[in-house]
mmCIF file of all heavy atoms in Angstrom:
data_model
loop_
_atom_site.group_PDB
_atom_site.id
_atom_site.type_symbol
_atom_site.label_atom_id
_atom_site.label_comp_id
_atom_site.label_asym_id
_atom_site.label_seq_id
_atom_site.Cartn_x
_atom_site.Cartn_y
_atom_site.Cartn_z
ATOM 1 N N SER I 40 -58.768 -101.693 -125.620
ATOM 2 C CA SER I 40 -58.640 -103.043 -125.040
ATOM 3 C C SER I 40 -60.004 -103.702 -125.024
ATOM 4 O O SER I 40 -61.000 -103.034 -124.759
ATOM 5 C CB SER I 40 -58.199 -103.009 -123.589
ATOM 6 O OG SER I 40 -57.295 -102.032 -123.326
ATOM 7 N N PHE I 445 -49.801 -106.568 -114.812
ATOM 8 C CA PHE I 445 -49.975 -108.018 -114.635
ATOM 9 C C PHE I 445 -49.334 -108.471 -113.324
ATOM 10 O O PHE I 445 -49.856 -109.312 -112.619
ATOM 11 C CB PHE I 445 -49.356 -108.789 -115.809
ATOM 12 C CG PHE I 445 -50.121 -108.611 -117.073
ATOM 13 C CD1 PHE I 445 -49.887 -107.521 -117.889
ATOM 14 C CD2 PHE I 445 -51.102 -109.510 -117.445
ATOM 15 C CE1 PHE I 445 -50.601 -107.330 -119.043
ATOM 16 C CE2 PHE I 445 -51.826 -109.325 -118.611
ATOM 17 C CZ PHE I 445 -51.578 -108.236 -119.413
ATOM 18 N N LEU I 448 -50.835 -106.757 -109.327
ATOM 19 C CA LEU I 448 -52.077 -107.056 -108.608
ATOM 20 C C LEU I 448 -52.036 -108.488 -108.101
ATOM 21 O O LEU I 448 -51.608 -109.397 -108.829
ATOM 22 C CB LEU I 448 -53.292 -106.885 -109.533
ATOM 23 C CG LEU I 448 -53.552 -105.471 -110.065
ATOM 24 C CD1 LEU I 448 -54.722 -105.473 -111.022
ATOM 25 C CD2 LEU I 448 -53.827 -104.505 -108.934
ATOM 26 N N MET I 452 -56.916 -111.963 -105.053
ATOM 27 C CA MET I 452 -57.802 -110.998 -104.394
ATOM 28 C C MET I 452 -58.743 -110.374 -105.417
ATOM 29 O O MET I 452 -58.314 -109.988 -106.506
ATOM 30 C CB MET I 452 -56.976 -109.885 -103.734
ATOM 31 C CG MET I 452 -56.259 -110.329 -102.483
ATOM 32 S SD MET I 452 -55.028 -109.108 -101.958
ATOM 33 C CE MET I 452 -56.017 -108.032 -100.998
ATOM 34 N N ARG I 453 -60.033 -110.285 -105.051
ATOM 35 C CA ARG I 453 -60.980 -109.588 -105.917
ATOM 36 C C ARG I 453 -60.626 -108.109 -105.924
ATOM 37 O O ARG I 453 -59.974 -107.615 -104.995
ATOM 38 C CB ARG I 453 -62.406 -109.762 -105.402
ATOM 39 C CG ARG I 453 -62.956 -111.153 -105.602
ATOM 40 C CD ARG I 453 -64.380 -111.207 -105.090
ATOM 41 N NE ARG I 453 -64.804 -112.579 -104.922
ATOM 42 C CZ ARG I 453 -65.388 -113.303 -105.881
ATOM 43 N NH1 ARG I 453 -65.636 -112.771 -107.051
ATOM 44 N NH2 ARG I 453 -65.732 -114.549 -105.660
ATOM 45 N N VAL I 454 -61.117 -107.403 -106.966
ATOM 46 C CA VAL I 454 -60.756 -105.985 -107.098
ATOM 47 C C VAL I 454 -61.159 -105.203 -105.846
ATOM 48 O O VAL I 454 -60.400 -104.364 -105.350
ATOM 49 C CB VAL I 454 -61.431 -105.403 -108.361
ATOM 50 C CG1 VAL I 454 -61.221 -103.901 -108.455
ATOM 51 C CG2 VAL I 454 -60.862 -106.097 -109.590
ATOM 52 N N LEU I 487 -64.058 -97.598 -114.744
ATOM 53 C CA LEU I 487 -64.445 -99.014 -114.750
ATOM 54 C C LEU I 487 -65.902 -99.117 -114.323
ATOM 55 O O LEU I 487 -66.433 -98.212 -113.665
ATOM 56 C CB LEU I 487 -63.581 -99.815 -113.781
ATOM 57 C CG LEU I 487 -62.135 -100.059 -114.186
ATOM 58 C CD1 LEU I 487 -61.369 -100.665 -113.019
ATOM 59 C CD2 LEU I 487 -62.045 -100.987 -115.377
ATOM 60 N N ARG I 488 -66.552 -100.244 -114.705
ATOM 61 C CA ARG I 488 -67.927 -100.434 -114.270
ATOM 62 C C ARG I 488 -67.920 -100.919 -112.812
ATOM 63 O O ARG I 488 -66.968 -101.559 -112.380
ATOM 64 C CB ARG I 488 -68.601 -101.480 -115.175
ATOM 65 C CG ARG I 488 -68.823 -100.979 -116.601
ATOM 66 C CD ARG I 488 -68.675 -102.082 -117.621
ATOM 67 N NE ARG I 488 -69.321 -103.297 -117.216
ATOM 68 C CZ ARG I 488 -70.562 -103.634 -117.586
ATOM 69 N NH1 ARG I 488 -71.250 -102.862 -118.375
ATOM 70 N NH2 ARG I 488 -71.090 -104.757 -117.171
ATOM 71 N N ASP I 490 -69.507 -103.294 -111.417
ATOM 72 C CA ASP I 490 -69.464 -104.744 -111.213
ATOM 73 C C ASP I 490 -68.025 -105.270 -111.224
ATOM 74 O O ASP I 490 -67.749 -106.402 -110.832
ATOM 75 C CB ASP I 490 -70.357 -105.494 -112.228
ATOM 76 C CG ASP I 490 -69.915 -105.276 -113.665
ATOM 77 O OD1 ASP I 490 -68.875 -104.637 -113.856
ATOM 78 O OD2 ASP I 490 -70.606 -105.745 -114.583
ATOM 79 N N ALA I 491 -67.073 -104.422 -111.655
ATOM 80 C CA ALA I 491 -65.657 -104.813 -111.649
ATOM 81 C C ALA I 491 -65.190 -105.138 -110.229
ATOM 82 O O ALA I 491 -64.277 -105.955 -110.036
ATOM 83 C CB ALA I 491 -64.803 -103.691 -112.217
ATOM 84 N N LEU I 492 -65.803 -104.534 -109.236
ATOM 85 C CA LEU I 492 -65.348 -104.731 -107.860
ATOM 86 C C LEU I 492 -65.405 -106.189 -107.424
ATOM 87 O O LEU I 492 -64.606 -106.631 -106.607
ATOM 88 C CB LEU I 492 -66.196 -103.882 -106.900
ATOM 89 C CG LEU I 492 -65.921 -102.374 -106.935
ATOM 90 C CD1 LEU I 492 -66.965 -101.612 -106.155
ATOM 91 C CD2 LEU I 492 -64.528 -102.080 -106.389
ATOM 92 N N GLN I 493 -66.363 -106.931 -107.961
ATOM 93 C CA GLN I 493 -66.521 -108.327 -107.536
ATOM 94 C C GLN I 493 -65.783 -109.303 -108.434
ATOM 95 O O GLN I 493 -65.925 -110.504 -108.321
ATOM 96 C CB GLN I 493 -68.015 -108.702 -107.488
ATOM 97 C CG GLN I 493 -68.793 -107.981 -106.394
ATOM 98 C CD GLN I 493 -68.028 -107.921 -105.068
ATOM 99 O OE1 GLN I 493 -67.437 -108.896 -104.625
ATOM 100 N NE2 GLN I 493 -68.008 -106.757 -104.437
ATOM 101 N N ARG I 494 -64.978 -108.782 -109.379
ATOM 102 C CA ARG I 494 -64.287 -109.692 -110.295
ATOM 103 C C ARG I 494 -62.808 -109.837 -109.900
ATOM 104 O O ARG I 494 -62.307 -109.125 -109.049
ATOM 105 C CB ARG I 494 -64.444 -109.184 -111.728
ATOM 106 C CG ARG I 494 -65.915 -109.332 -112.177
ATOM 107 C CD ARG I 494 -66.259 -108.488 -113.365
ATOM 108 N NE ARG I 494 -65.475 -108.837 -114.533
ATOM 109 C CZ ARG I 494 -65.390 -108.076 -115.621
ATOM 110 N NH1 ARG I 494 -66.073 -106.963 -115.693
ATOM 111 N NH2 ARG I 494 -64.659 -108.454 -116.642
ATOM 112 N N TRP I 495 -62.142 -110.818 -110.557
ATOM 113 C CA TRP I 495 -60.729 -111.116 -110.259
ATOM 114 C C TRP I 495 -59.830 -110.415 -111.277
ATOM 115 O O TRP I 495 -60.258 -110.222 -112.429
ATOM 116 C CB TRP I 495 -60.474 -112.630 -110.347
ATOM 117 C CG TRP I 495 -61.330 -113.439 -109.439
ATOM 118 C CD1 TRP I 495 -62.504 -114.048 -109.785
ATOM 119 C CD2 TRP I 495 -61.127 -113.732 -108.059
ATOM 120 N NE1 TRP I 495 -63.034 -114.703 -108.707
ATOM 121 C CE2 TRP I 495 -62.203 -114.530 -107.621
ATOM 122 C CE3 TRP I 495 -60.130 -113.411 -107.141
ATOM 123 C CZ2 TRP I 495 -62.321 -114.995 -106.330
ATOM 124 C CZ3 TRP I 495 -60.248 -113.878 -105.847
ATOM 125 C CH2 TRP I 495 -61.319 -114.656 -105.449
ATOM 126 N N PRO I 496 -58.585 -110.111 -110.898
ATOM 127 C CA PRO I 496 -57.708 -109.405 -111.841
ATOM 128 C C PRO I 496 -57.561 -110.108 -113.201
ATOM 129 O O PRO I 496 -57.485 -109.443 -114.231
ATOM 130 C CB PRO I 496 -56.360 -109.357 -111.102
ATOM 131 C CG PRO I 496 -56.738 -109.332 -109.667
ATOM 132 C CD PRO I 496 -57.971 -110.200 -109.557
ATOM 133 N N HIS I 497 -57.540 -111.470 -113.226
ATOM 134 C CA HIS I 497 -57.307 -112.139 -114.505
ATOM 135 C C HIS I 497 -58.456 -111.942 -115.493
ATOM 136 O O HIS I 497 -58.318 -112.220 -116.671
ATOM 137 C CB HIS I 497 -57.037 -113.643 -114.296
ATOM 138 C CG HIS I 497 -58.265 -114.438 -113.960
ATOM 139 N ND1 HIS I 497 -58.568 -114.791 -112.666
ATOM 140 C CD2 HIS I 497 -59.266 -114.920 -114.718
ATOM 141 C CE1 HIS I 497 -59.707 -115.471 -112.662
ATOM 142 N NE2 HIS I 497 -60.143 -115.557 -113.900
ATOM 143 N N GLU I 498 -59.593 -111.469 -115.003
ATOM 144 C CA GLU I 498 -60.728 -111.260 -115.908
ATOM 145 C C GLU I 498 -60.620 -109.953 -116.691
ATOM 146 O O GLU I 498 -61.476 -109.655 -117.513
ATOM 147 C CB GLU I 498 -62.045 -111.263 -115.115
ATOM 148 C CG GLU I 498 -62.357 -112.584 -114.434
ATOM 149 C CD GLU I 498 -63.637 -112.492 -113.620
ATOM 150 O OE1 GLU I 498 -64.684 -112.140 -114.179
ATOM 151 O OE2 GLU I 498 -63.570 -112.755 -112.408
ATOM 152 N N PHE I 499 -59.574 -109.172 -116.431
ATOM 153 C CA PHE I 499 -59.463 -107.863 -117.070
ATOM 154 C C PHE I 499 -58.333 -107.837 -118.086
ATOM 155 O O PHE I 499 -57.367 -108.589 -117.976
ATOM 156 C CB PHE I 499 -59.199 -106.784 -116.007
ATOM 157 C CG PHE I 499 -60.330 -106.606 -115.041
ATOM 158 C CD1 PHE I 499 -60.368 -107.337 -113.866
ATOM 159 C CD2 PHE I 499 -61.361 -105.742 -115.325
ATOM 160 C CE1 PHE I 499 -61.415 -107.188 -112.979
ATOM 161 C CE2 PHE I 499 -62.416 -105.598 -114.444
ATOM 162 C CZ PHE I 499 -62.453 -106.317 -113.271
ATOM 163 N N SER I 500 -58.460 -106.915 -119.044
ATOM 164 C CA SER I 500 -57.371 -106.715 -120.004
ATOM 165 C C SER I 500 -56.264 -105.913 -119.313
ATOM 166 O O SER I 500 -56.463 -105.389 -118.204
ATOM 167 C CB SER I 500 -57.895 -105.934 -121.203
ATOM 168 O OG SER I 500 -58.254 -104.642 -120.780
ATOM 169 N N GLY I 501 -55.114 -105.773 -119.995
ATOM 170 C CA GLY I 501 -53.977 -105.048 -119.422
ATOM 171 C C GLY I 501 -54.354 -103.613 -119.045
ATOM 172 O O GLY I 501 -54.019 -103.135 -117.963
ATOM 173 N N GLY I 502 -55.061 -102.946 -119.940
ATOM 174 C CA GLY I 502 -55.451 -101.556 -119.693
ATOM 175 C C GLY I 502 -56.378 -101.441 -118.503
ATOM 176 O O GLY I 502 -56.254 -100.529 -117.679
ATOM 177 N N GLN I 503 -57.318 -102.385 -118.413
ATOM 178 C CA GLN I 503 -58.256 -102.345 -117.284
ATOM 179 C C GLN I 503 -57.523 -102.606 -115.969
ATOM 180 O O GLN I 503 -57.807 -101.997 -114.943
ATOM 181 C CB GLN I 503 -59.368 -103.372 -117.490
ATOM 182 C CG GLN I 503 -60.305 -102.962 -118.612
ATOM 183 C CD GLN I 503 -61.208 -104.091 -119.050
ATOM 184 O OE1 GLN I 503 -60.823 -105.262 -119.030
ATOM 185 N NE2 GLN I 503 -62.411 -103.754 -119.458
ATOM 186 N N ARG I 504 -56.553 -103.527 -116.007
ATOM 187 C CA ARG I 504 -55.786 -103.816 -114.782
ATOM 188 C C ARG I 504 -55.004 -102.591 -114.337
ATOM 189 O O ARG I 504 -54.859 -102.336 -113.147
ATOM 190 C CB ARG I 504 -54.806 -104.959 -115.044
ATOM 191 C CG ARG I 504 -55.468 -106.289 -114.864
ATOM 192 C CD ARG I 504 -54.424 -107.351 -114.923
ATOM 193 N NE ARG I 504 -54.714 -108.217 -116.035
ATOM 194 C CZ ARG I 504 -54.260 -109.440 -116.145
ATOM 195 N NH1 ARG I 504 -53.483 -109.928 -115.231
ATOM 196 N NH2 ARG I 504 -54.585 -110.176 -117.166
ATOM 197 N N GLN I 505 -54.490 -101.843 -115.321
ATOM 198 C CA GLN I 505 -53.736 -100.657 -114.938
ATOM 199 C C GLN I 505 -54.662 -99.645 -114.267
ATOM 200 O O GLN I 505 -54.272 -98.958 -113.335
ATOM 201 C CB GLN I 505 -53.044 -100.045 -116.169
ATOM 202 C CG GLN I 505 -52.033 -98.975 -115.853
ATOM 203 C CD GLN I 505 -50.877 -99.449 -114.992
ATOM 204 O OE1 GLN I 505 -51.059 -100.075 -113.944
ATOM 205 N NE2 GLN I 505 -49.670 -99.172 -115.418
ATOM 206 N N ARG I 506 -55.906 -99.587 -114.724
ATOM 207 C CA ARG I 506 -56.847 -98.664 -114.084
ATOM 208 C C ARG I 506 -57.106 -99.092 -112.632
ATOM 209 O O ARG I 506 -57.255 -98.265 -111.748
ATOM 210 C CB ARG I 506 -58.167 -98.637 -114.860
ATOM 211 C CG ARG I 506 -58.024 -97.829 -116.124
ATOM 212 C CD ARG I 506 -59.353 -97.598 -116.756
ATOM 213 N NE ARG I 506 -59.532 -98.442 -117.918
ATOM 214 C CZ ARG I 506 -60.634 -98.478 -118.628
ATOM 215 N NH1 ARG I 506 -61.663 -97.749 -118.288
ATOM 216 N NH2 ARG I 506 -60.709 -99.251 -119.694
ATOM 217 N N ILE I 507 -57.139 -100.415 -112.403
ATOM 218 C CA ILE I 507 -57.327 -100.905 -111.025
ATOM 219 C C ILE I 507 -56.121 -100.476 -110.184
ATOM 220 O O ILE I 507 -56.266 -100.020 -109.051
ATOM 221 C CB ILE I 507 -57.480 -102.442 -111.002
ATOM 222 C CG1 ILE I 507 -58.716 -102.856 -111.807
ATOM 223 C CG2 ILE I 507 -57.574 -102.966 -109.567
ATOM 224 C CD1 ILE I 507 -58.805 -104.336 -112.095
#
Side-chain angles (χ1 to χ4, degrees):
S40 323
F445 290 85
L448 296 177
M452 287 167 86
R453 288 181 196 271
V454 173
L487 288 171
R488 291 146 43 95
D490 62 5
L492 287 170
Q493 292 317 316
R494 291 162 61 194
W495 302 96
H497 75 261
E498 297 177 56
F499 295 91
S500 66
Q503 290 167 327
R504 275 189 241 201
Q505 191 61 310
R506 284 190 255 177
I507 299 168

